[in-house]
Amino acid sequence: MKATSIRKAFALFMATATVFATVSCGSPQSSGNDSSQSEGSQGENSQGEDSQGEDAGSSGIINGNPLAADPQSQIQSRGNFAEAHDAFTTTLVREENDDYTVPAPPEGLFDLVSYPSKVGDLAAYVSSDPGDGQKHPIIIWVVGGWGNGIDDFPWCYPEWDNDQTGSAFWQAGLLTMYPSFRGGNGNPGHYEALFGEVDDIISAYEYAASLPYVDPDRIYLGGHSTGGTRALLASEYSDKFRAVFCFGAVDEIKYHNNSQFTFDTENEEEHIMRSPLYWLDNIKSPTFLIEGRDGNSQCLERMEAATENENLHGYVMENADHFSVLAPITRVLAQKILADTGAEPNISITQEELETAMAQEPVAPVPVMTRRTLTDPQMSFSCPYLWEITESSDGVGLDVCSRYEDDNPWDMALLHIDTYSLDEISDLAALKSSMETEGYEVADLTVGGQPAIDTSTVFQDDEGTPYYQRYVVIQEGSCYVNLNFVTYEDYAEESDVLFQSVIDSIEF
């Protein structure tokens, strides 16, 4: 199902419905403060789909312990990871980067900043200052995929069985930082595939600690898949993080996605410097490894078997995969962090509470809303941040819908806005009666202080696909403002909550 199908369904409705309006009052235009789609946004930075999880969770893992007969002695012989990492110079055989533009974040929720690193300034999203004069905990969330950039993924629809957004943290009220790394988003440097990116994470920590509204003693780190491996390496490198949460991290990278490696793969030390398994004894912060049985669980279990470090805690979730653990468990972790207020870290997690979280009913996501303003009529309203305002294909009115076409209630909904002047004998009462005759459910309401009617129905296209339509008509002076919502009937319940929030936000 695609958004274009929604537009066709809307055109079908307009062609078959009774025409109540006769004289156009002009089409409203956006004020220009709506966000525009950036090139290389969702997915192009390898944020949306994590190839590591697909490969590492299947045939990409070679059975057996890569440290052979005596992993403990080989781990301990490696010594201090931070010293070894800093003394090592990686050799890149491919110098790769990207110049994808970083989209502006939702105003008042996140700021787009630059944080200094060893290679220069790097882009990041950071939660805006709450403005209460207090110091707050923050989590640095490292997304999956091999790209080093950031885009609008934190505000995309967070699917319950594949929520890589990390949005559970800031939705719970926890400050969050999404760093980009060297080579991404036009940043200086090149992709180093798990080496220099560790330095960048430490630089992100230093930046977060410098913010006046962040508690430097309560900076957490988390990540998923490639991001989970990067977070684990950072925990082995530094004890600065209060706690670290790694979803789907790998143990030994030579068996995973070598097509993504930009370094000299003939040099064994290059692999060792990027493989968490060799440095587990260096972990000093509480570090939690989490994975679904059908994901990289073998990696997790090998790491548990390879060290007696009491700071490392592993949890394998049965009947789950590399992605389905994220939505329920990140919500648990957000609450754990908010409750971790003592002088020393005091986060404890049990297998049972994670299993309880996995068994819960999916939680309907709440989109990040942003304010939009129209000039004709003078009307403002809130809608999802990722919705864009465009002129309708027929030139009548405006279409407001997601820039993406994913199969979910946010992206498969369309709002059409236009304005009309009714003829001399038409009024809301007459329109209400006519709509009832057409089979609509109709109710009176007030929107933005103005009288209105609220109607709804279900109709089918030529192929028999059912659509839900909600049609709100507001009387504003001599004009009538029409808001026409259309979505698939399967999404009616979730979408109706979203539609209602848009209606409730309208101001003239």
Side-chain angles (χ1 to χ4, degrees), residues 450-466:
Q450 306 299 323
I453 60 170
D454 188 359
T455 76
S456 62
T457 191
V458 173
F459 67 95
Q460 295 183 349
D461 64 11
D462 293 337
E463 298 177 353
T465 302

Side-chain angles (χ1 to χ4, degrees), residues 46 51-52 144-148 191 193-194 226 230 256-257 260-261:
S46 301
S51 58
Q52 174 179 319
W146 289 94
N148 279 9
Y191 302 161
L194 300 171
T226 302
R230 290 170 172 174
H256 305 277
N257 278 352
Q260 304 282 349
F261 297 163

Side-chain angles (χ1 to χ4, degrees), residues 19 34 48-49 106 175 344 368 375 398 416 425 442 444 471 483:
V19 178
D34 51 302
E49 296 181 3
L175 299 182
E344 299 295 329
V368 175
T375 57
L398 299 171
H416 177 84
I425 62 172
V442 186
D444 294 312
Y471 184 52
L483 291 90

Side-chain angles (χ1 to χ4, degrees), residues 90 147 170 184 186 236 262 275 289-291 361 363 442 478 484 501:
T90 188
W170 49 264
E236 294 172 330
T262 57
S275 296
L289 307 182
I290 303 165
E291 181 61 305
E361 290 294 321
V363 176
V442 186
S478 61
N484 220 324
S501 68

Side-chain angles (χ1 to χ4, degrees), residues 93-133:
V93 295
R94 302 198 314 270
E95 293 187 344
E96 296 183 358
N97 52 26
D98 70 71
D99 59 357
Y100 297 137
T101 301
V102 183
E107 185 176 354
L109 182 66
F110 276 83
D111 299 325
L112 175 58
V113 303
S114 295
Y115 70 97
S117 75
K118 291 181 178 180
V119 296
D121 288 349
L122 309 176
Y125 292 129
V126 180
S127 292
S128 301
D129 187 344
D132 57 5

Side-chain angles (χ1 to χ4, degrees), residues 342-484:
E344 299 295 329
N346 189 30
I347 292 180
S348 63
I349 301 173
T350 67
Q351 185 78 24
E352 291 72 21
E353 63 186 329
L354 295 187
E355 290 174 355
T356 298
M358 292 296 297
Q360 70 181 291
E361 290 294 321
V363 176
V366 178
V368 175
M369 306 292 277
T370 191
R371 201 75 184 163
R372 307 293 172 84
T373 300
L374 308 180
T375 57
D376 186 12
Q378 292 290 333
M379 184 183 88
S380 65
F381 63 96
S382 295
C383 68
Y385 169 76
L386 292 178
W387 282 17
E388 297 178 323
I389 301 177
T390 59
E391 184 175 333
S392 298
S393 58
D394 60 3
V396 179
L398 299 171
D399 289 339
V400 189
C401 60
S402 173
R403 68 183 66 165
Y404 300 121
E405 299 180 350
D406 294 328
D407 190 4
N408 62 65
W410 293 7
D411 298 330
M412 289 290 103
L414 170 69
L415 165 61
H416 177 84
I417 303 175
D418 55 29
T419 59
Y420 292 97
S421 174
L422 298 191
D423 61 32
E424 294 180 357
I425 62 172
S426 297
D427 56 22
L428 283 179
L431 180 55
K432 176 181 178 181
S433 176
S434 181
M435 298 290 278
E436 289 173 334
T437 301
E438 292 291 323
Y440 284 78
E441 294 184 9
V442 186
D444 294 312
L445 76 162
T446 300
V447 178
Q450 306 299 323
I453 60 170
D454 188 359
T455 76
S456 62
T457 191
V458 173
F459 67 95
Q460 295 183 349
D461 64 11
D462 293 337
E463 298 177 353
T465 302
Y467 295 89
Y468 170 74
Q469 187 216 11
R470 188 169 175 188
Y471 184 52
V472 176
V473 182
I474 311 165
Q475 183 176 350
E476 163 61 10
S478 61
C479 285
Y480 288 77
V481 181
N482 301 330
L483 291 90
N484 220 324

